[in-house]
Amino acid sequence: MPRKDTKLSDLDLRGYISRYDSKSETRIQRLVFLARNGKCDSPKLAYSLLEEQLKKSGNVTRTLKYLEGELQLLAMPWTWTRALQKHGFQFDREFAQSATIAANQQLETLEANLRTSRSALAKDAIITASIQLANHLVLTGQSTGAMKELIMAKSFCSSQWQLQELFLLLAETGLNTQNYQRVKDLYDPNIENKNFTSLIFLAKLNAARGISYLAEGRIKEAAKSFLAVTNDLGNNFNQVLSASDIAMYGGITALLALDRSEIEAMAAVEKNGPSNFKSSGIAAFGERLDTIPDLKEAIQAYVSADYRECLKLIDGLRGEWETDIYLAPQAETLWNRVRGKCLVQYFEPYCSVSMHTVMQSFAFESVGEAENVVADLIEKKEIEGAKIDGVKNTLNELSAEQLERRRRRIMMRRLGRTGDLLLDEVEGMLLRMSCVQKGMIVGKSGGRGKTSRSRRRDWGDARAKDAYGIYGNESSDDDGIGEIIMEVEDEELMDTDDL
């Protein structure tokens, strides 16, 4: 299915970027991403909004870092003036000098306050001074330094409310610096059972964890984290992500990670809703999907088994994924996984399916493309107990007898390989003992690698057969041991027990 390339118009860009806090680092990063990757109609507008924010916050460090990155991307012997004019970003030297002086003076004052608090051993004052210093460092583009200050201040927290505020700042700085492991380590599995925990704090922490898992490609963990974000949060964590981001991230990861009953509860297909569903959070998350109607309709189409409509709606969202700083790197992977899950669900009730029907239902360009996608799903064991008939262009479910025969062949293959390795080891040990008895010294040959002495029996030509059983006919048990596919290469044999 061809992808529609979407760019943000000037009006859409202003509306999109207004979702985020005007002084936040995530707003800067998203503007830079949109401008550099050509994801908006007017990159100059993105640069103009970026310049405006940097000047308001006095973020000279981030300004210089950004300019350095732009010049490295250009990789041309231009002067700064010509290079910046090309990108529509004007470097104001007077602003840089005055903002640097002001930032340094404020930094000295905050550091002095922190030193005074530490000398007085006043824990509350230390925490207050540390948080003020960390906020200043984040505002001036020094998130790494802010994180160090917050980590040192953690041991001085005298109340849970101070600890929660510090944790949220750590989560923000961790995401700013892409230190995702630090963000995930902030979560305590038993934190939900503690009476003092604020629901807003817990929602923000889960949102930060969800972004960390999403950035690492761990879809299932990301879905659990986003679904745990309560609706009370709203847009109160826009230093990191907006309410629309939570709906988009949570909806697409839930579609990939949850089973059908859970997705049905989230989409609220039933009029009365699930009365005794095991997770009320999943059902409540469906309210967030109202902000993204296409995604909600796609999930409802999936539950209704209208996979063509589901993929059509998801395909319309792919352009929006390309403009998102976290979804863009894995937009193609997410699309393939959604299509793969729809294919798996489509095949489940049938014993045999024509690949021509699959091509039409899922808008593949050819039968060959459909077969390649299905074959990949079989190799990944997402479709189990089936094979493709290349002559009839059908996907057929294997009978119980065929599955048992395949498992038997795989078991014999493993036994043969294990036996070969055992015999090689015994033979080598006997040779070494014989050499020791004869007074011979066994050592490595100089300058030459170890020569493999693995025995090779006639288990059949592995390369002439289909190791996964995706294509072709099943062989009979009467074909003998020569029909068993035996791979005796150095790499491990792929486990295909469940096929």
Side-chain angles (χ1 to χ4, degrees):
M1 185 178 293
R3 180 175 62 88
K4 181 181 180 181
D5 189 14
T6 303
K7 294 184 179 181
L8 294 175
S9 65
D10 292 354
L11 183 61
D12 291 338
L13 175 60
R14 291 183 182 276
Y16 169 76
I17 211 63
S18 64
R19 303 173 187 172
Y20 306 97
D21 186 88
S22 59
K23 297 181 180 180
S24 64
E25 175 68 17
T26 187
R27 191 174 188 269
I28 295 176
Q29 292 180 0
R30 289 174 185 272
L31 282 171
V32 172
F33 173 79
L34 291 171
R36 283 183 176 175
N37 294 278
K39 297 302 181 182
C40 52
D41 289 339
S42 178
K44 286 190 175 183
L45 176 59
Y47 287 117
S48 176
L49 293 172
L50 174 62
E51 182 181 11
E52 180 182 351
Q53 176 177 346
L54 294 176
K55 284 188 174 182
K56 281 184 177 180
S57 61
N59 194 341
V60 181
T61 302
R62 193 70 173 88
T63 303
L64 295 176
K65 181 179 179 181
Y66 162 70
L67 293 178
E68 180 182 358
E70 287 299 300
L71 292 175
Q72 289 177 355
L73 287 177
L74 291 174
M76 298 181 68
W78 291 358
T79 63
W80 273 39
T81 303
R82 292 180 61 188
L84 298 177
Q85 286 178 350
K86 177 181 182 296
H87 283 262
F89 192 97
Q90 301 296 328
F91 179 67
D92 190 342
R93 295 183 182 276
E94 294 183 2
F95 152 73
Q97 293 175 357
S98 60
T100 300
I101 294 173
N104 289 338
Q105 290 176 348
Q106 188 175 2
L107 179 62
E108 291 176 1
T109 302
L110 293 173
E111 288 178 342
N113 293 340
L114 181 58
R115 287 193 298 269
T116 302
S117 301
R118 287 175 175 172
S119 61
L121 298 178
K123 290 187 176 182
D124 291 343
I126 292 174
I127 292 298
T128 302
S130 297
I131 290 177
Q132 290 176 349
L133 178 58
N135 283 325
H136 171 74
L137 292 174
V138 171
L139 190 64
T140 55
Q142 305 175 63
S143 294
T144 302
M147 181 181 292
K148 293 179 181 179
E149 293 293 337
L150 293 170
I151 292 173
M152 289 189 294
K154 184 178 177 181
S155 58
F156 294 98
C157 291
S158 57
S159 68
Q160 292 299 327
W161 306 111
Q162 291 178 345
L163 192 62
Q164 289 176 15
E165 184 178 2
L166 189 139
F167 270 27
L168 291 178
L169 280 174
L170 275 173
E172 181 181 347
T173 55
L175 293 175
N176 291 344
T177 57
Q178 299 182 359
N179 190 344
Y180 301 125
Q181 188 59 47
R182 171 71 64 181
V183 178
K184 292 183 293 184
D185 290 342
L186 296 174
Y187 184 79
D188 180 4
N190 299 321
I191 197 170
E192 298 182 16
N193 300 325
K194 299 179 180 179
N195 296 327
F196 55 77
T197 302
S198 167
L199 293 178
I200 297 296
F201 163 73
L202 191 59
K204 290 181 178 180
L205 192 58
N206 278 315
R209 289 175 64 234
I211 291 180
S212 300
Y213 285 126
L214 178 62
E216 294 177 345
R218 299 173 61 179
I219 302 300
K220 186 175 182 180
E221 292 84 354
K224 290 181 179 179
S225 299
F226 286 122
L227 292 176
V229 178
T230 60
N231 294 336
D232 299 331
L233 180 59
N235 204 40
N236 295 327
F237 201 32
N238 60 353
Q239 309 96 307
V240 173
L241 79 172
S242 67
S244 298
D245 292 335
I246 298 175
M248 177 64 78
Y249 300 161
I252 193 62
T253 55
L255 178 60
L256 292 172
L258 302 184
D259 58 38
R260 197 177 195 87
S261 60
E262 293 173 321
I263 294 175
E264 184 175 355
M266 183 179 66
V269 175
E270 299 177 0
K271 294 182 179 180
N272 298 326
S275 57
N276 57 350
F277 194 71
K278 62 182 180 181
S279 176
S280 59
I282 294 178
F285 191 85
E287 298 178 11
R288 286 189 175 275
L289 296 177
D290 293 335
T291 60
I292 309 178
D294 286 350
L295 180 57
K296 185 169 186 177
E297 290 177 11
I299 293 175
Q300 290 176 339
Y302 173 84
V303 174
S304 302
D306 188 356
Y307 303 116
R308 183 183 181 90
E309 181 66 16
C310 173
L311 292 178
K312 180 182 178 181
L313 292 167
I314 293 294
D315 184 61
L317 294 172
R318 292 170 69 189
E320 188 173 341
W321 295 353
E322 293 289 348
T323 62
D324 186 88
I325 193 172
Y326 293 108
L327 293 178
Q330 45 192 331
E332 191 66 24
T333 302
L334 292 173
W335 162 252
N336 290 332
R337 291 188 61 173
V338 172
R339 183 177 62 180
K341 186 167 186 178
C342 289
L343 281 167
V344 172
Q345 293 294 316
Y346 179 81
F347 291 138
E348 188 171 352
Y350 301 107
C351 295
S352 180
V353 178
S354 171
M355 298 307 297
H356 291 280
T357 304
V358 174
M359 179 190 70
Q360 296 172 1
S361 300
F362 289 85
F364 287 110
E365 294 182 358
S366 64
V367 174
E369 181 186 1
E371 288 185 352
N372 291 335
V373 173
V374 173
D376 185 60
L377 293 174
I378 294 176
E379 290 184 13
K380 293 177 180 178
K381 296 166 55 169
E382 295 183 25
I383 296 179
E384 300 178 345
K387 65 175 182 179
I388 297 174
D389 188 331
V391 177
K392 298 180 180 179
N393 291 328
T394 58
L395 178 69
N396 302 319
E397 183 180 11
L398 297 178
S399 64
E401 181 181 354
Q402 290 173 321
L403 286 173
E404 179 62 27
R405 188 160 59 240
R406 174 176 294 179
R407 293 192 181 99
R408 190 179 306 157
R409 288 204 310 272
I410 292 171
M411 180 187 65
M412 292 298 297
R413 184 192 317 161
R414 289 178 174 173
L415 288 174
R417 187 170 188 265
T418 303
D420 280 354
L421 293 175
L422 177 61
L423 289 175
D424 285 341
E425 291 178 2
V426 172
E427 185 180 274
M429 183 168 40
L430 291 175
L431 284 174
R432 187 176 183 85
M433 292 176 60
S434 177
C435 290
V436 171
Q437 291 177 354
K438 299 296 183 179
M440 298 175 62
I441 298 175
V442 180
K444 295 182 178 179
S445 58
R448 299 184 64 184
K450 182 179 179 180
T451 303
S452 175
R453 299 181 61 257
S454 299
R455 60 183 69 231
R456 299 288 187 266
R457 292 185 175 82
D458 183 17
W459 295 103
D461 186 2
R463 292 177 176 80
K465 300 181 182 294
D466 177 19
Y468 301 107
I470 298 174
Y471 299 95
N473 298 323
E474 294 289 338
S475 60
S476 171
D477 288 340
D478 299 333
D479 292 342
I481 199 71
E483 291 296 328
I484 299 175
I485 305 171
M486 183 59 194
E487 296 177 6
V488 289
E489 305 297 338
D490 292 335
E491 62 270 7
E492 289 294 325
L493 182 65
M494 180 176 292
D495 185 5
T496 55
D497 283 345
D498 297 332
L499 285 179

